[in-house]
């Protein structure tokens, strides 16, 4: 299928942007200021919130860095002297190279908000693998770009004393995300948080940098403030100066843009205060809300298809930002005076504990699930998992203390960090720990039959520290476990029993067949090998049956030959110079030749050897119809001169019911020959002569 022109153009733009992208000077943090790493000058944020509205047709969020619309907008952003944009949503599965490279060429850095579909809830806060995995995927999607300025882990989650315990979970998120970044990337990427200055809840700002563990402290603080209008600008900035004058990390306005009256254009008079003295010693700039027009008419531009129309707010802000003249500080002249608070204040006004939730570690959860007998059935819908978990554990730690955390008193279940599926597995196992049958009959549960934790030293230590109730403190953090999540038994009715996978069953069946077949064939071969010496009945009977079948086939052949042979030198019309055949009735009777010693084989040593040579017949039977006769002739005495019928001794003792009868004893020399019909009939029922080919032919 040929590429559309638009698609081809997109790939050309992406390739060119990647090839010609101009590297930017990474921004670093020292004390409470941003600096360019190379030239050491101070970096002031002149930013714009850049987030396209949700898709109206399906209410899905749009990743503004995953399409080429950013190329269109960079021109207008540059007109506003923009050096930072803030993006509220990115799709980690998309490629952001084109936009990030184009922004880098324009000297624009990017802040990314991590919370979107998964966030830390203020009323029921959690910090677990579900949130961690979602956020680290976004980090990894853009962390490789040098113009990435940092990540927001949340905004305005804590707004009053009632939801202040959530602060402990936010701070735990900062700790674990910074650890993830430090372990994977060769530069520091800041992680920060946004507070609402209008709520005047300054204790949250202090909590996010307090304590002796600097790895859990935020790297920057954003303030959202829409009240710095022309009538209260001075008062508002005075309060901010008093609050954040000694703050240990950079502070900037993460959202601002006050409107003096509804429906009027924003004048952006606060811009001059933000970038003027004395605020530049405290505030590192700000981010205007927002580029795209929204339902509340806060946009700088309106978009119609591919056409961009600057609005009145665009003109106002452009004129204000063009007039700023901030006083930068060189990093070489900057002395850090703001320090972190060594202790975190707590009380009735702010009840977040300085003890944070456990470090998120997927291997701890794998150890826990691997120790269970009853687990959540894999493949359950997310809504069903959440509903069932709530029905068992509720929203407090009373029912499932191992799975909940309390940010107020600093007590956390050992497995509260796990995914909702893993926590449901723990809850189901606790519910059915004394009744495996109930677990088996539960539609949301499954029997786990792969327990590996006991053979893994790391897992054994983790489970020991967690304790049987899962409320202990885990200090062992395994980097890996020797196994994966356990297999499980499908849901069914009745008493559970061990169930094997289809592959295991097929393997057992095939293996059993192969083993049995090999055993039987081995026995048969050994029997036949020994039967040549010990007379194995099985093999002897097998060879005898084969011999009889071959003899019968040859007899039929001779009958056919006797009817069609025209050779005058063959008595009785038989080929191979054979004798007459005595039938079992009087029809077609022919006279036997006179008695002659030639009818009996000579009794010689060679014949004795011939008799003993039967054991040399191969165990697999005779190779062909004629081979029996050739083999037999090989043992005849060399003195035998006349061809004739031979008495072939059977390999096994004949049965009275056998079709092959023994030839009765011949008459003696002195006994007169009786050629009467009666005497012939006495012979006919028991006589059957097997013909031996003439050795001369």
């Amino acid at each position: 299928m040929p590429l559309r022109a638009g698609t081809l153009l997109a790939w050309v733009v992406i390739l060119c942007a990647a090839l010609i992208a101009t590297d930017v000077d990474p921004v670093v943090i020292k004390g409470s200021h941003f600096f360019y790493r190379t030239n050491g000058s101070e970096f002031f944020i002149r930013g714009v919130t850049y987030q396209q509205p949700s898709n109206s047709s399906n209410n899905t969020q749009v990743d503004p860095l995953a399409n080429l619309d950013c190329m269109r907008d960079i021109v207008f952003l540059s007109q506003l002297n923009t050096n930072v944009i803030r993006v509220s949503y990115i799709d980690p599965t998309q490629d952001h190279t084109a936009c990030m490279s184009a922004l880098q060429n324009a000297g624009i850095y990017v802040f990314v908000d991590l919370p979107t579909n998964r966030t830390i809830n203020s009323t029921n806060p959690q910090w677990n693998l579900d949130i961690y995995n979602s956020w680290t995927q976004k980090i990894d999607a853009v962390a490789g770009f040098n113009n990435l300025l940092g990540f927001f882990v949340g905004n305005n989650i804590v707004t009053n004393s009632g939801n202040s315990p959530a602060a402990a979970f936010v701070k735990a998120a900062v700790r674990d995300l910074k650890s993830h970044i430090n372990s994977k990337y060769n530069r520091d990427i800041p992680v920060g948080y946004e507070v609402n200055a209008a709520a005047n809840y300054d204790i949250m700002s202090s909590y996010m940098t307090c304590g002796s563990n600097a790895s859990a402290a935020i790297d920057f603080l954003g303030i959202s403030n829409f009240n710095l209008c022309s009538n209260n600008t001075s008062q508002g900035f005075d309060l901010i100066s008093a609050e954040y004058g000694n703050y240990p990390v950079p502070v900037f306005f993460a959202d601002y843009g006050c409107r003096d009256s509804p429906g009027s254009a924003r004048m952006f008079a606060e811009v001059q205060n933000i970038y003027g003295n004395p605020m530049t010693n405290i505030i590192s700039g700000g981010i205007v809300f927002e580029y795209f027009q929204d339902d509340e008419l806060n946009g700088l531009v309106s978009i119609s298809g591919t056409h961009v129309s600057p609005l009145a707010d665009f003109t106002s802000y452009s004129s204000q930002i063009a007039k700023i003249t901030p006083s930068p500080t060189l990093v070489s002249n900057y002395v850090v005076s703001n320090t972190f608070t060594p202790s975190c204040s707590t009380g009735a006004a702010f009840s977040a504990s300085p003890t944070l939730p456990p470090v998120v570690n997927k291997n701890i959860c794998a150890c826990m699930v691997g120790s269970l007998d009853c687990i959540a059935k894999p493949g359950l819908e997310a809504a069903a998992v959440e509903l069932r978990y709530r029905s068992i554990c509720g929203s407090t730690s009373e029912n499932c203390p191992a799975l909940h955390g309390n940010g107020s008193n600093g007590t956390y279940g050992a497995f509260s960090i796990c995914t909702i599926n893993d926590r449901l597995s723990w809850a189901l196992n606790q519910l059915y720990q004394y009744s495996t049958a109930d677990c088996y009959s539960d539609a949301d549960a499954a029997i786990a039959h792969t327990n590996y934790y006991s053979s893994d030293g790391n897992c054994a230590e983790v489970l020991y520290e967690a304790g049987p109730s899962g409320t202990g403190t885990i200090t062992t953090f395994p980097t890996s476990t020797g196994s994966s999540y356990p297999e499980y038994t499908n849901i069914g009715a009745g008493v559970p029993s061990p169930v094997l996978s289809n592959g295991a069953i097929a393997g057992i069946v095939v293996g059993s067949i192969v083993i049995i077949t090999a055993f039987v064939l081995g026995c048969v071969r050994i029997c036949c090998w020994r039967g040549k010496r010990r007379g194995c009945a099985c093999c002897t009977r097998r060879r005898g049956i084969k011999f009889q079948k071959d003899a019968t086939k040859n007899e039929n052949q001779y009958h056919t030959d006797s009817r069609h042979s025209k050779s005058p030198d063959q008595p009785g019309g038989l080929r191979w110079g054979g004798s007459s055949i005595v039938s079992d009735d009087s029809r077609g009777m022919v006279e036997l030749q006179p008695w002659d010693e030639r009818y009996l084989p000579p009794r010689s040593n060679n014949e004795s050897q011939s008799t003993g040579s039967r054991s040399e017949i191969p165990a697999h039977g005779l190779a062909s119809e004629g081979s029996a006769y050739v083999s037999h002739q090989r043992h005849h005495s060399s003195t035998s001169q006349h061809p004739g019928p031979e008495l072939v001794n059977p390999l096994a003792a004949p049965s009275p019911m056998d079709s092959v009868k023994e030839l009765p004893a011949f008459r003696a020399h002195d006994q007169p020959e009786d050629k009467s019909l009666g005497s012939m009939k006495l012979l006919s029922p028991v006589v059957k002569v097997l013909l031996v080919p003439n050795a001369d032919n």
Side-chain angles (χ1 to χ4, degrees), residues 200-256:
N200 196 26
Y201 202 64
D202 54 349
I203 304 179
M204 177 62 181
S205 303
S206 299
Y207 179 83
M208 295 305 295
T209 58
C210 70
S212 58
N213 185 5
S215 64
I218 57 175
D219 297 315
F220 63 83
L221 178 69
I223 302 172
S224 62
N225 194 327
F226 293 94
N227 295 322
L228 298 175
C229 294
S230 57
N231 59 346
N232 63 354
T233 300
S234 298
Q235 181 181 6
F237 281 105
D238 290 341
L239 293 175
I240 292 173
S241 298
E243 177 63 33
Y244 299 108
N246 296 316
Y247 205 68
V249 299
V251 179
F252 59 90
F253 287 99
D255 282 315
Y256 76 95

Side-chain angles (χ1 to χ4, degrees), residues 513-668:
I513 293 175
V514 170
I515 292 173
I516 293 173
T517 303
F519 178 77
V520 172
L521 292 177
C523 291
V524 171
R525 187 169 184 83
I526 292 173
C527 176
C528 294
W529 179 71
R530 293 182 176 179
K532 291 185 292 186
R533 298 176 176 84
R534 301 181 181 179
C536 174
C538 173
C539 297
T540 303
R541 186 178 297 111
R542 181 169 174 264
R543 292 199 301 269
I545 292 173
K546 175 67 177 178
F547 195 94
Q548 292 173 11
K549 287 182 179 179
D550 290 342
T552 304
K553 181 183 292 186
N554 280 284
E555 177 193 0
N556 293 336
Q557 177 181 346
Y558 297 148
H559 274 296
T560 303
D561 292 343
S562 67
R563 289 192 297 270
H564 297 283
S565 176
K566 302 298 181 181
S567 176
D569 59 346
Q570 294 177 359
L574 295 179
R575 296 181 181 182
W576 308 98
S579 169
S580 300
I581 297 178
V582 182
S583 176
D584 57 354
D585 56 25
S586 60
R587 291 176 297 175
M589 286 291 298
V590 294
E591 187 176 31
L592 285 174
Q593 297 292 330
W595 175 254
D596 198 320
E597 283 286 343
R598 291 174 302 170
Y599 284 99
L600 290 176
R603 308 300 294 180
S604 65
N605 292 334
N606 290 336
E607 182 177 354
S608 300
Q609 296 173 1
S610 172
T611 303
S613 67
R614 293 172 190 153
S615 61
E616 298 178 7
I617 298 175
H620 58 271
L622 302 177
S624 62
E625 293 181 7
S627 63
Y629 304 101
V630 174
S631 175
H632 197 74
Q633 286 178 358
R634 189 178 297 123
H635 303 294
H636 270 255
S637 172
S638 59
T639 59
S640 177
Q641 300 177 359
H642 303 283
E646 290 185 356
L647 180 62
V648 180
N649 293 327
L651 296 176
S655 168
M657 301 303 295
D658 288 344
S659 59
V660 180
K661 313 296 183 181
E662 278 195 294
L663 188 67
F666 289 94
R667 57 185 173 79

Side-chain angles (χ1 to χ4, degrees), residues 3 325 355 479 538 625 647:
L3 291 174
T325 56
T355 303
T479 57
C538 173
E625 293 181 7
L647 180 62

